[in-house]
Amino acid sequence: MKIPRDLTGIARAAALAVGLAGSLSLASLVSPAQAQGMRAEVGRPLQQASELLKAGRAKEALAKVREADAVGGKTGAEQLTIDRMKAAAAQRAGDSATAIQALESVHGKVGGTEAGQVAEQLASAYAQQRNNGRATEWLNRAIAAGNTGGSVRQLQAYLQGSSGDYNAIAKDAGAAVSGAEQGGRRPDEGDLLRLADAQQRTGNMTGYVVTLEKLLGYYPKKDYWNAYLSRLPRKAGFGERFGLDLFRLRLASGTLTKTEDFMEMAQLSLQAGLPSEARRIADQGIKAGALGVGPEAARHQRLRDLAVKQEGEVKANLANQASEAESFKEGDGLVKVGYAYVSLGEVDRGITLIQQGINKGNLKRPEDAKLRLGMAQLQNPKLKTTAVQTLRSVKGTDGAAEIARLWTILGAS
C-alpha cells in the first residue's frame, strides 16, 4: 500500500524547498542609512529597488538594481550589496539565471553562516532549473558550511527522491528520527513522513509499520489512523475475530464516518452480545448524520430499536450469567460477562469480573483477555496508568498486541 499522496506531504515539502521563498531575507534590503553610505549614483537606485521589492514590483526593482550595477568604479562593498539585491529581485521576478549569477558572486565574497545560506539558495535555484547535479553540489557546500536546518533536509530529500535514491532518504530521515528520540525530543513530522515513504518504496514494510506507529504516537492525525487501520486487517495472520475491534479504533480515532460502517459495527456488537454498545453506535451515527437519514432511515431505526430491546434483556439476565460463569472451570465466561458489564457502563464491576476470569485461568485466548482488561481499565480515568501497563503486556502475532498498542496511543492522546 502506497502512502496516500495527501498523507505524505512530500511533494508539498519539496515545493517549499525549491520555491526560493527565503532569499529575500538573505539579501538585506537597502535602508536609507545604507544608501547614504554609498555614492549617490549607486545608493539611490538601490534604495528605490528596495521600496519596489517591498511593494511586490520585482521586475521594476531588478531594473533599478541593474542601473546601479552599470555605474563604473564600484567598491567591493557596493558590488556585494548590488549582488545581494540583484539575487533577491531576480528570484522574485522569476529570473533564475540572473539570480544564480548574483548568488554565486555573493558566495565568493562571504563566509561563515551566510556562505551556508547562500549555498542553500543556489541549490534551490538549480533545483528549480531541474539541474540536480549542480543543486546537489551546492547543497553539499551548504551542509559543509554548517547549514543543516529543516529546509536543507527537505531539499536533500527532494533531490534524492528525484534521483530515485530512496535508500539514502531512509538513511538520512532515520538518522534524524533516531537523533531526536535519543535526545528526548519529538521527531520532526516531515522526517517521519520521509522515512515512511522511503521505507515503503524500498519494500521495508516492517520498518514502514513501525514508522507509521510513531506518526500515530507523535502526531495522531486522522490521515495516519486511516492509513494504519486500512492495512491492519490485511496483515498476515491477523485474526478475523478482531473486526469489531477495528471499528472501535476507528470510532475512537474519529475515522468512522460511513453509513455502512456504523451499521456493520452496530450489527457486530449485537452479535457479540453487547447491545448497549450497539445502541451507542447507532446514536453516534444518528448524531453524525450517517444514520437516520435517506432511504434506509427506517432500517437504521429498526436496528437501534433491536439494540434497545436486547439491552433490556441483557441487563435483566447478566447477574445470573455472572453467577453461572463463576462455576465454570475456564475463565472465559467471566471475561465475557465482565466486558458486557463494562459495555453497560458498570466499568468497575466489569473490571473485577474480567480480572477474576484471568486469575481463574484455563483461558482459550489469554492475550485477548488482557486486551479486554486494558480496554476496560481505560474507561476509568483513575486507572489510566494501570491500563497502559496492561495493554503493553499483551503479546502475540494475531493482532491482539497491535490493537493493544493502538489503544495505548489513544489513551495517551
Side-chain angles (χ1 to χ4, degrees), residues 25-172:
S25 62
L26 171 63
S28 302
L29 298 182
V30 176
S31 66
Q34 288 173 312
Q36 290 176 3
M38 302 178 190
R39 288 176 295 159
E41 57 268 38
V42 175
R44 187 182 304 109
L46 288 181
Q47 174 62 33
Q48 292 170 341
S50 290
E51 297 303 322
L52 288 166
L53 273 178
K54 290 177 183 178
R57 297 158 64 183
K59 290 184 179 179
E60 296 174 62
L62 184 56
K64 284 295 180 182
V65 175
R66 284 176 170 148
E67 181 181 323
D69 200 17
V71 175
K74 296 183 290 294
T75 66
E78 288 174 337
Q79 187 62 61
L80 179 58
T81 302
I82 287 169
D83 288 336
R84 284 172 169 157
M85 286 291 298
K86 186 185 293 184
Q91 288 176 346
R92 290 297 186 271
D95 186 348
S96 59
T98 298
I100 287 172
Q101 182 184 39
L103 286 167
E104 287 184 343
S105 178
V106 171
H107 188 270
K109 299 168 185 173
V110 299
T113 301
E114 186 174 358
Q117 293 172 337
V118 174
E120 179 189 351
Q121 292 301 320
L122 279 162
S124 295
Y126 276 117
Q128 190 179 55
Q129 289 189 332
R130 302 292 189 268
N131 189 340
N132 289 353
R134 290 286 284 165
T136 300
E137 177 186 336
W138 280 105
L139 188 66
N140 290 337
R141 291 192 189 187
I143 294 171
N147 185 355
T148 57
S151 59
V152 168
R153 293 202 307 273
Q154 287 178 338
L155 181 55
Q156 187 175 45
Y158 169 79
L159 293 171
Q160 290 168 340
S162 297
S163 66
D165 193 356
Y166 290 104
N167 285 315
I169 295 176
K171 181 180 179 181
D172 292 340

Side-chain angles (χ1 to χ4, degrees), residues 168-188:
I169 295 176
K171 181 180 179 181
D172 292 340
V177 170
S178 296
E181 290 180 326
Q182 291 172 7
R185 304 184 308 277
R186 182 173 71 164
D188 182 80

Side-chain angles (χ1 to χ4, degrees), residues 226 247 250 254-265 281 285 288-291 300:
N226 269 325
F247 280 121
R250 284 199 176 279
T255 58
L256 189 75
T257 58
K258 297 180 180 179
T259 296
E260 57 267 30
D261 289 341
F262 275 103
M263 287 293 288
E264 185 177 355
M265 183 178 180
I281 294 161
L291 299 181
H300 304 161

Side-chain angles (χ1 to χ4, degrees), residues 240-315:
E240 291 184 5
R241 67 185 183 279
F242 293 120
L244 178 56
D245 284 285
L246 289 174
F247 280 121
R248 286 168 175 155
L249 289 166
R250 284 199 176 279
L251 188 67
S253 62
T255 58
L256 189 75
T257 58
K258 297 180 180 179
T259 296
E260 57 267 30
D261 289 341
F262 275 103
M263 287 293 288
E264 185 177 355
M265 183 178 180
Q267 290 165 348
L268 287 173
S269 294
L270 287 175
Q271 293 170 16
L274 302 171
S276 294
E277 182 178 51
R279 190 258 308 157
R280 286 194 300 273
I281 294 161
D283 288 342
Q284 287 183 253
I286 291 170
K287 184 177 180 180
L291 299 181
V293 295
E296 295 288 309
R299 177 169 169 258
H300 304 161
Q301 186 61 46
R302 286 196 299 273
L303 179 64
R304 186 188 184 280
D305 291 343
L306 177 61
V308 171
K309 178 177 179 294
Q310 292 188 10
E311 184 177 18
E313 295 171 354
V314 167
K315 286 181 179 179

Side-chain angles (χ1 to χ4, degrees), residues 225-239:
W225 278 105
N226 269 325
Y228 194 96
L229 293 176
S230 294
R231 62 150 292 277
L232 190 53
R234 297 196 296 272
K235 177 190 173 186
F238 186 83

